[in-house]
Amino acid sequence: MGGLRCADGSYLTVLPRACVDSVGVPYEITLELRRDGAPYGMVGERCGWLLPRLAAGMRAARADGDGAWADPDDRFPEDAPDAELFAFRYRSRRRVVGGGELRCQVRTLPLWTPADAPAAIGRWRLTRRAVVEAWGHDGVGLRAVLTSGELAEFIAGLVVEAEGCLGMAQSGSGIRNGGTDRPPGR
């Protein structure tokens, strides 16, 4: 069960749930959000194809030692400042807004490092962090700030759970649309 400790002390749980066709066969997933165990929202209808791609991108970015960021915890797939890695929203056929949202944006943050010796001067160091924000159906928002390692672990956990939810964990076929890496309908 994937979850994040938020800045306000609450715990956001993200649970993959199978989308089933007319005869009950699971074909994709959506994400159920829970705040401290209580229902919070449903987001990311048919987002299963994207999760493995996010996990692979996180692994590749963390392994890339040639980039501008020396610390692996500062490395993310998008090099653009304040890049959005993902945004899962509630979607209904009636275009009703307000069922929830889960999104992740990479932000560059300055961090003050105090001096080691009393007469020395401290310095600013730039770090990159993933800011994961969630909004529930009631409009209340949550925020968690993660290193790339923490985000990679969170996404990898979602992939494992989603594959289990769809019954693919044993077959090793992964979450894919008919064995391809492209989104459904393309």
Side-chain angles (χ1 to χ4, degrees):
M1 174 171 21
L4 303 170
R5 178 66 56 196
C6 297
D8 69 352
S10 61
Y11 194 77
L12 175 68
T13 306
V14 182
L15 302 164
R17 297 292 185 222
C19 298
V20 295
D21 63 14
S22 60
V23 294
V25 177
Y27 66 94
E28 250 295 359
I29 65 159
T30 191
L31 301 174
E32 177 185 349
L33 305 179
R34 293 184 161 271
R35 180 182 185 186
D36 295 328
Y40 192 64
M42 295 293 283
V43 299
E45 183 182 19
R46 297 186 194 121
C47 68
W49 66 273
L50 181 61
L51 293 176
R53 295 177 74 186
L54 282 170
M58 289 300 299
R59 282 191 306 273
R62 288 184 49 76
D64 183 18
D66 297 333
W69 301 94
D71 186 352
D73 279 338
D74 291 333
R75 297 182 198 150
F76 292 90
E78 298 293 329
D79 286 332
D82 298 334
E84 186 170 81
L85 289 179
F86 61 82
F88 300 128
R89 292 177 176 86
Y90 173 78
R91 190 168 85 179
S92 75
R93 294 175 193 240
R94 296 185 187 133
R95 307 255 187 240
V96 175
V97 177
E101 182 174 350
L102 178 69
R103 71 182 191 141
C104 177
Q105 187 174 18
V106 177
R107 295 196 181 143
T108 303
L109 306 169
L111 179 67
W112 178 254
T113 306
D116 294 336
I121 299 173
R123 65 181 181 91
W124 287 101
R125 184 173 79 85
L126 292 179
T127 61
R128 293 179 79 204
R129 294 295 179 256
V131 178
V132 178
E133 297 174 317
W135 288 272
H137 50 79
D138 59 358
V140 176
L142 298 173
R143 176 179 289 174
V145 179
L146 309 173
T147 65
S148 69
E150 293 166 335
L151 182 63
E153 184 178 323
F154 171 71
I155 293 171
L158 281 179
V159 169
V160 169
E161 288 181 46
E163 286 179 343
C165 185
L166 293 174
M168 296 178 176
Q170 294 80 18
S171 69
S173 61
I175 303 173
R176 290 194 164 92
N177 183 30
T180 66
D181 284 328
R182 62 181 189 270
R186 291 194 183 164

